[in-house]
Amino acid sequence: MPEIRVTPLGAGQDVGRSCILVSIAGKNVMLDCGMHMGFSDDRRFPDFSYITRNGRLTDFLDCVIISHFHLDHCGALPYFSEMVGYDGPIYMTHPTQAICPILLEDYRKIAVDKKGEANFFTSQMIKDCMKKVVAVHLHQTVQVDDELEIKAYYAGHVLGAAMFQIKVGSESVVYTGDYNMTPDRHLGAAWIDKCRPNLLITESTYATTIRDSKRCRERDFLKKVHEAVERGGKVLIPVFALGRAQELCILLETFWERMNLKAPIYFSTGLTEKANHYYKLFITWTNQKIRKTFVQRNMFEFKHIKAFDRAFADNPGPMVVFATPGMLHAGQSLQIFRKWAGNEKNMVIMPGYCVQGTVGHKILSGQRKLEMEGRQVLEVKMQVEYMSFSAHADAKGIMQLVGQAEPESVLLVHGEAKKMEFLKQKIEQELRVSCYMPANGETVTLPTSPSIPVGVSLGLLKREMAQGLLPDAKKPRLLHGTLIMKDSNFRLVSSEQALKELGLAEHQLRFTCRVHLHDPRKEQETALRVYSHLKSVLKDHCVQHLPDGSVTVESILIQAAAHSEDPGTKVLLVSWTYQDEELGSYLTSLLKKGLPQASS
Amino acid sequence: MESAEDWLVESLRLYQDFHAFDLSGATRVLEWIGDKGVFVAGYESLKKNEILHLILPLRLSVKENQGLCPERDFKVCHGGFSDASVFELKHVPDTRLLVTTGLPGSYLHVWQVAEDSDVIQAVSTIAVPEKEGGLWPRVAIFSSMAPGVLHGVRLRSLKVVDLESQKTTYTSGVSDSEELSSLQVLAADTFAFSCASGRLGLVDIRQKWAPSETISPGAGAAGGRWCAEVGGRGPGPSIASLGSNGQLCLFDPRDLSHPVSSAQCSVSAPSPDPELLRVTWAPGLDNCLAISGFDGTVQVYDATSWDGAGRQVEPLFTHRGHIFLEDNQTDTAPLVTTHTWHPHKSRTLLSAASDASLHVWDWVDTRAAH
């Protein structure tokens, strides 16, 4: 039974630990390999025992696909490939390949150095894992093997994020990963063609939300920065090297210009170098955006934004500084934070999620007293602001994407079925597709009806056409032929051609039936009677009386002979080939009914 | 869009908080449930409409440490589908029931908000005795042990129907054919009505029909269409009547014979769709009103020093967000379809417009010392 099976892995319903297993036409693909950021024990990893309990993962899985670099989509990858064991290919886009190892290493450092965890993957494991990565370009069809192919589509959301189409023959599945349908300042909106997959798999986390506009989020950011700067405070914005940082810089630059503000804005040099490097590599990804940016050659040719020097942190007066790393767990941003935390006029704006164990996570949880190295206690008097800039599709966005791809069915992961009944109804009614919502660990099986293309030989077609009666285009017509399956190729040819190709001799099957008739006359007369009778009854058929006395109906031969023992009985020998079985049987039963009385 | 950027920069000064959302369909309904949830509903005539129970973004409802709360999105808590367009929705207090009305106006629909799932299910209908082409019955709820639904298209068809038994427990019993524009339950036994003509009345349902009433203010003047709202905090008048020409009259409920004060609001043209007129009293500010339904704005007025002369007054604040943040470059400017005040955040309002936008905004009172 052709079917597609999908199992979201892991326990618990929360977001995080994205990891989905898909079985399509005998191929097994793992989509994402994320970490659950809320747990510190094994619960943070997906439950890989679902895949196979005894066998090797490498034998079972045909490939692994990673949608983007967020830890809840790739955080468990080194654990999976090096500690559980997987040696097959791992597909991801080029930016994801470049950024993943950095985030994984950062995360590893925090987990091991800050939280003292044992049994965590090592730096070497991250490197070994990344060696298995095969990078792909957007819209490039990648052959994983003879039958399985994948293709990446632009997803927006973060640099390098992609949606993936997985195709085997005529069956396909599209996995969206995280995506958004509204462009922002440095990324475009997700886009997919009308690929009509059997199934579209997407997150349900934001499916039941209505998102506040990007403009209002930006407004809030500007307002906070402005307020702090107006009162003479210093604003620290810890960022990761890419993406969001550029976005916020462009925003501030525009604002500073319009408001004619004088407070300096700084960008730490480490950031600039890294960012320029990545920018050059991935310019095609940021160029997807729709709105024009005034940044020309160098991402950092800002009028108002300058390179930072650590000495500036002690300068009096207001300023804004973008510094790495993003979670305040080490380096320059942490240094600056320590200097500025004690003044309530100052502000720190955290633009994203912070992993447990980092200073970022602590202050976002409301902690105002931090224990630093050497048992020093840092009192946090500065204003702490948590802002979420990550772009996700909401209810409206999901409907738009489903409308673009036109799948047969939609599958929502990471949600509670009871809390999504309305959404399911909405999708089913408005878009006319079936909607599935499996729990983690639950398998959804979708029956599919794959179409198998069969080539019909020209000879066979011609012969069918020649058999009279023009085919009614609307009615199905029965066709006889031989199906030859060779090398994933299906052909329908005439039996003769098949026999020839296979080098087989044709066998002829002939049946002969005896019908006894009571007729004292000579055989020739009996034959004539048979002829007349059949001629009058079988008006649609070609009935002939041959010179040797036999009667033919089409290709069926009827001969009259005398009965060896009874002169009053004649024996009719009715003979036909296998092909004429139907007519032969009919004739036989007709003749068994007897002949009408001879007239004259 | 240049003007949108300019307005956004202006908005830093004009608003404390500002959130803008896009609903899947425009709403004329903004009905509170508690102080954290609102209902919205579509009013399309040719396709199915959604009724949604939305939970306010955490950032707006959290009382402390707002800065540590990044969630700015509405959550769709419950949803349901309505074939009829929904013009008004009332929640039956202390229950999980809703009553909706709209066109076609032959029935009121009763809905149940499910407890164990996210569905809003149709439960029953209440027949409306008087069925008339383009008119639809207004609705208000008497909440008590046995909730009653007050509804009517005209004064003569006003009645209260027991929600459960559907038995009529009160009728106006008059033959007056004046068309109603709003109904509001004030207490266990009293309600206020306003007619499209501007006529207002307060009714005690324990007595035979004998409302304390106004003489319609618009009758002699420009006419137009009127709606009203009872509310108000502070020592001044507590009934506001708004006309489609922008005239606003304030009444004292103890003496409806003449308005206590009146003013001409700063609207550039009469309302293009007077059924969308809305006037509301601020629950958290003295003598403060908001009006909408004339264009893409919501205007806030302080009526403290108004007199009876009907002079032109300037709003305390004008919300222009629906005009400036309009994404689709359509020819028709959006029209604000409804607005409401937050129950306890004194300067926070919600407003919705015909382009399916929904704004939540907290305006800065420039008069207050900072």
Side-chain angles (χ1 to χ4, degrees):
Chain A
M1 185 70 193
E3 57 192 26
I4 294 177
R5 290 197 309 276
V6 181
T7 314
L9 300 183
Q13 296 283 3
D14 316 1
V15 182
R17 208 188 323 108
S18 289
C19 186
I20 301 158
L21 199 58
V22 174
S23 269
I24 170 172
K27 301 288 171 185
N28 299 310
V29 177
M30 189 163 97
L31 302 169
D32 278 339
C33 191
M35 178 89 82
H36 192 305
M37 312 308 281
F39 295 110
S40 312
D41 52 26
D42 278 353
R43 285 176 296 174
R44 66 177 144 201
F45 299 126
D47 189 348
F48 298 119
S49 64
Y50 270 108
I51 305 175
T52 169
R53 285 186 196 274
N54 315 309
R56 296 192 333 124
L57 287 175
T58 313
D59 294 336
F60 181 81
L61 285 174
D62 291 281
C63 71
V64 172
I65 296 174
I66 302 291
S67 62
H68 63 288
F69 62 65
H70 276 158
L71 288 173
D72 58 344
H73 288 258
C74 73
L77 195 60
Y79 167 79
F80 169 73
S81 71
E82 307 310 305
M83 292 170 87
V84 177
Y86 169 76
D87 297 313
I90 301 172
Y91 292 96
M92 58 181 75
T93 61
H94 286 87
T96 311
Q97 181 189 34
I99 300 167
C100 246
I102 301 171
L103 283 181
L104 287 170
E105 178 57 29
D106 260 1
Y107 180 56
R108 189 206 65 79
K109 269 202 250 197
I110 295 168
V112 173
D113 301 343
K114 298 277 171 216
K115 290 161 75 188
E117 288 190 35
N119 203 33
F120 207 82
F121 50 80
T122 62
S123 291
Q124 187 57 43
M125 285 181 186
I126 297 173
K127 294 197 179 86
D128 292 337
C129 169
M130 295 310 290
K131 288 195 191 119
K132 299 169 185 170
V133 169
V134 178
V136 302
H137 292 289
L138 284 178
H139 306 160
Q140 171 198 7
T141 300
V142 175
Q143 292 290 141
V144 177
D145 61 33
D146 286 341
E147 291 150 312
L148 173 62
E149 57 183 54
I150 63 173
K151 179 155 66 161
Y153 287 94
Y154 191 79
H157 184 57
V158 289
L159 192 68
M163 307 186 287
F164 279 88
Q165 180 196 40
I166 299 128
K167 202 161 169 188
V168 181
S170 62
E171 287 176 50
S172 66
V173 169
V174 167
Y175 170 57
T176 65
D178 285 343
Y179 65 100
N180 67 287
M181 300 301 288
T182 47
D184 60 30
R185 283 175 203 267
H186 80 296
L187 289 174
W191 178 86
I192 195 165
D193 52 13
K194 210 183 290 216
C195 54
R196 297 217 172 102
N198 295 82
L199 180 66
L200 182 103
I201 302 174
T202 189
E203 279 284 331
S204 61
T205 320
Y206 295 95
T208 48
T209 61
I210 300 179
R211 290 210 34 105
D212 187 12
S213 73
K214 174 182 66 98
R215 282 208 194 96
C216 288
R217 286 168 204 273
E218 291 182 341
R219 179 202 170 265
D220 208 26
F221 170 72
L222 287 173
K223 190 163 163 63
K224 292 286 181 318
V225 171
H226 188 227
E227 271 165 13
V229 159
E230 284 281 278
R231 64 176 182 237
K234 297 172 166 57
V235 183
L236 170 65
I237 307 170
V239 285
F240 177 61
L242 275 166
R244 217 51 68 190
Q246 273 74 27
E247 181 104 352
L248 298 176
C249 277
I250 295 172
L251 190 55
L252 274 188
E253 173 87 357
T254 317
F255 182 58
W256 246 238
E257 181 79 19
R258 207 179 277 274
M259 300 282 285
N260 199 24
L261 295 173
K262 301 287 179 237
I265 308 175
Y266 299 112
F267 210 81
S268 71
T269 41
L271 253 173
T272 327
E273 280 157 18
K274 268 199 209 129
N276 263 334
H277 166 68
Y278 289 123
Y279 177 71
K280 286 199 192 91
L281 276 179
F282 306 122
I283 188 159
T284 49
W285 283 82
T286 54
N287 271 351
Q288 301 279 352
K289 67 188 163 102
I290 293 150
R291 291 173 61 175
K292 282 204 300 247
T293 176
F294 56 78
V295 175
Q296 307 293 330
R297 300 166 299 282
N298 184 337
M299 275 302 286
F300 297 97
E301 254 173 37
F302 287 122
K303 257 175 80 178
H304 303 274
I305 305 181
K306 306 278 175 276
F308 186 66
D309 184 289
R310 43 196 264 181
F312 296 172
D314 296 316
N315 287 358
M319 70 174 82
V320 181
V321 177
F322 289 88
T324 55
M327 297 188 260
L328 283 182
H329 54 281
Q332 191 166 70
S333 60
L334 185 59
Q335 264 177 25
I336 300 171
F337 173 76
R338 292 170 81 149
K339 276 189 201 263
W340 295 357
N343 188 337
E344 67 234 342
K345 282 200 204 152
N346 295 341
M347 181 188 286
V348 60
I349 299 179
M350 306 298 298
Y353 181 81
C354 293
V355 163
Q356 241 180 37
T358 56
V359 169
H361 189 268
K362 290 184 181 143
I363 59 173
L364 288 180
S365 316
Q367 232 179 300
R368 304 299 276 178
K369 284 193 169 58
L370 302 172
E371 200 181 287
M372 313 297 281
E373 292 102 47
R375 298 213 165 206
Q376 273 192 317
V377 171
L378 180 67
E379 242 197 274
V380 180
K381 291 200 184 137
M382 78 194 306
Q383 198 175 331
V384 178
E385 291 286 330
Y386 188 3
M387 296 197 180
S388 153
F389 289 100
S390 73
H392 283 272
D394 59 4
K396 198 169 167 192
I398 291 181
M399 302 297 280
Q400 273 178 292
L401 190 77
V402 175
Q404 271 183 27
E406 289 191 14
E408 275 171 29
S409 308
V410 170
L411 190 136
L412 302 168
V413 288
H414 294 141
E416 266 181 75
K418 275 274 159 214
K419 300 253 173 75
M420 297 190 305
E421 248 173 79
F422 169 66
L423 178 66
K424 180 171 145 79
Q425 278 176 27
K426 192 174 146 95
I427 290 175
E428 286 180 342
Q429 280 177 33
E430 265 176 62
L431 300 167
R432 308 202 172 285
V433 295
S434 326
C435 185
Y436 300 89
M437 300 179 302
N440 281 343
E442 184 192 328
T443 302
V444 165
T445 305
L446 260 91
T448 59
S449 34
S451 55
I452 301 167
V454 175
V456 181
S457 81
L458 202 55
L460 186 62
L461 272 177
K462 280 188 177 160
R463 173 198 292 193
E464 284 299 311
M465 298 280 282
Q467 285 206 5
L469 300 175
L470 283 168
D472 180 349
K474 299 246 162 77
K475 284 202 170 147
R477 161 110 170 221
L478 199 60
L479 178 67
H480 280 152
T482 306
L483 180 67
I484 302 182
M485 297 188 286
K486 195 174 167 191
D487 299 330
S488 306
N489 209 2
F490 295 80
R491 277 159 53 235
L492 191 68
V493 300
S494 66
S495 314
E496 292 82 4
Q497 190 178 339
L499 287 168
K500 203 160 79 175
E501 278 186 33
L502 297 167
L504 296 171
E506 189 176 354
H507 294 267
Q508 285 279 333
L509 282 174
R510 204 163 184 88
F511 300 100
T512 307
C513 191
R514 288 178 157 71
V515 180
H516 294 253
L517 281 180
H518 180 73
D519 191 350
R521 285 166 286 188
K522 293 202 197 78
E523 297 94 85
Q524 293 89 324
E525 281 176 46
T526 311
L528 193 59
R529 273 180 74 197
V530 168
Y531 169 69
S532 312
H533 174 54
L534 291 180
K535 187 96 181 158
S536 68
V537 172
L538 301 175
K539 297 220 164 43
D540 288 334
H541 295 271
C542 174
V543 186
Q544 290 182 301
H545 193 189
L546 299 181
D548 68 356
S550 53
V551 179
T552 58
V553 178
E554 306 280 338
S555 59
I556 296 169
L557 188 65
I558 305 168
Q559 290 167 311
H563 194 277
S564 50
E565 276 136 37
D566 179 8
T569 304
K570 295 291 167 298
V571 179
L572 293 176
L573 292 159
V574 189
S575 155
W576 62 90
T577 60
Y578 172 67
Q579 280 85 344
D580 297 319
E581 165 66 28
E582 213 178 307
L583 187 55
S585 307
Y586 174 65
L587 272 180
T588 312
S589 39
L590 185 63
L591 290 170
K592 276 185 178 159
K593 288 188 190 146
L595 296 173
Q597 287 305 312
S599 48
S600 74
Chain B
M1 241 179 75
E2 198 62 53
S3 52
E5 296 265 341
D6 284 334
W7 186 82
L8 214 55
V9 168
E10 266 293 283
S11 79
L12 293 177
R13 175 180 67 81
L14 297 171
Y15 303 88
Q16 193 56 39
D17 277 324
F18 180 55
H19 297 248
F21 303 90
D22 268 319
L23 298 172
S24 51
T27 182
R28 277 167 66 156
V29 164
L30 276 175
E31 169 88 346
W32 287 96
I33 175 166
D35 60 354
K36 293 201 169 61
V38 281
F39 286 99
V40 295
Y43 57 90
E44 298 248 17
S45 47
L46 295 173
K47 57 179 236 211
K48 264 192 208 267
N49 290 289
E50 289 178 5
I51 300 177
L52 302 176
H53 170 206
L54 304 176
I55 302 291
L56 242 60
L58 225 57
R59 200 177 173 87
L60 284 173
S61 37
V62 83
K63 302 221 166 60
E64 296 176 324
N65 285 333
Q66 206 201 28
L68 297 184
C69 192
E71 280 106 36
R72 305 176 61 94
D73 305 331
F74 265 109
K75 184 117 183 81
V76 178
C77 190
H78 295 90
F81 295 99
S82 168
D83 289 320
S85 48
V86 180
F87 290 166
E88 240 177 51
L89 182 152
K90 292 278 149 78
H91 170 235
V92 181
D94 302 317
T95 71
R96 303 187 71 88
L97 299 171
L98 310 170
V99 178
T100 62
T101 173
L103 282 174
S106 27
Y107 289 100
L108 301 179
H109 296 262
V110 183
W111 308 79
Q112 168 121 2
V113 179
E115 198 151 1
D116 58 347
S117 80
D118 69 337
V119 172
I120 297 177
Q121 203 81 283
V123 165
S124 60
T125 55
I126 297 171
V128 168
E130 211 175 316
K131 299 178 217 301
E132 287 185 61
L135 300 179
W136 51 279
R138 293 344 194 226
V139 165
I141 309 290
F142 274 102
S143 68
S144 59
M145 286 297 289
V149 180
L150 170 68
H151 65 275
V153 173
R154 300 180 186 279
L155 282 176
R156 65 170 177 238
S157 53
L158 255 184
K159 51 163 49 180
V160 178
V161 165
D162 180 272
L163 189 57
E164 208 179 294
S165 66
Q166 297 230 6
K167 286 206 168 73
T168 305
T169 56
Y170 171 86
T171 49
S172 65
V174 292
S175 55
D176 202 321
S177 65
E178 276 223 46
E179 195 193 316
L180 288 164
S181 65
S182 63
L183 289 172
Q184 198 178 346
V185 164
L186 302 175
D189 306 297
T190 51
F191 70 88
F193 69 82
S194 78
C195 297
S197 64
R199 178 171 160 193
L200 293 172
L202 300 171
V203 180
D204 184 326
I205 59 171
R206 292 167 296 191
Q207 303 166 356
K208 196 167 165 333
W209 181 266
S212 93
E213 295 200 55
T214 59
I215 320 147
S216 18
R225 202 188 155 93
W226 294 75
C227 74
E229 172 104 344
V230 180
R233 207 182 81 154
S238 61
I239 304 181
S241 181
L242 175 67
S244 52
N245 53 10
Q247 220 190 331
L248 193 52
C249 300
L250 304 183
F251 293 84
D252 184 322
R254 295 165 298 187
D255 177 13
L256 288 173
S257 52
H258 301 284
V260 170
S261 55
S262 66
Q264 175 60 40
C265 298
S266 301
V267 294
S268 50
S271 165
D273 190 350
E275 280 219 354
L276 295 179
L277 281 180
R278 196 139 161 72
V279 58
T280 56
W281 288 97
L285 300 169
D286 289 349
N287 303 320
C288 221
L289 300 143
I291 66 164
S292 69
F294 292 89
D295 51 26
T297 70
V298 179
Q299 296 179 345
V300 180
Y301 288 92
D302 180 349
T304 314
S305 48
W306 289 4
D307 55 27
R311 263 192 277 266
Q312 173 100 8
V313 284
E314 285 306 305
L316 202 49
F317 185 81
T318 306
H319 173 63
R320 294 196 168 85
H322 293 284
I323 304 172
F324 286 101
L325 292 190
E326 200 217 343
D327 272 328
N328 357 313
Q329 311 290 317
T330 50
D331 292 328
T332 44
L335 184 56
V336 171
T337 53
T338 185
H339 71 267
T340 186
W341 291 83
H342 192 284
H344 55 72
K345 283 168 153 304
S346 44
R347 274 183 314 280
T348 300
L349 285 102
L350 275 69
S351 56
S354 53
D355 62 354
S357 57
L358 173 62
H359 292 178
V360 184
W361 40 283
D362 180 355
W363 51 283
V364 170
D365 190 349
T366 46
R367 301 171 309 174
H370 267 283

